Amino acid sequence: MGRMVDADDLVSASEIATRLGAKRPGVVHDWRRRHPDFPEPIARLALGYVWSWPDVAAWARVTGRL
């Protein structure tokens, strides 16, 4: 069975970019490629990847982005 995540915590690349002050959602995919410690997506949907915001926020705090 997969990991349980609160639906309110699910975010797309666009939402991550907005919350972290990035100018474009594509930067999230750049971070995925450049930083092996960037959180893994929870799922891949037709619209794209979905992450757990608490995972991304923890990464952003450690790396000084939040």
Side-chain angles (χ1 to χ4, degrees):
M1 180 174 232
R3 176 177 160 198
M4 298 297 286
V5 178
D6 188 326
D8 291 337
D9 288 337
L10 297 176
V11 290
S12 66
S14 181
E15 291 160 323
I16 292 169
T18 297
R19 291 181 186 195
L20 297 182
K23 293 184 181 186
R24 59 183 182 81
V27 76
V28 174
H29 301 293
D30 294 342
W31 291 336
R32 285 187 67 224
R33 285 189 293 277
R34 293 181 187 153
H35 302 282
D37 59 338
F38 190 83
E40 286 295 315
I42 297 297
R44 181 180 174 120
L45 306 175
L47 65 93
Y49 291 106
V50 179
W51 287 265
S52 167
W53 174 246
D55 293 349
V56 175
W59 174 84
R61 277 191 289 281
V62 168
T63 60
R65 289 176 176 84
L66 183 66

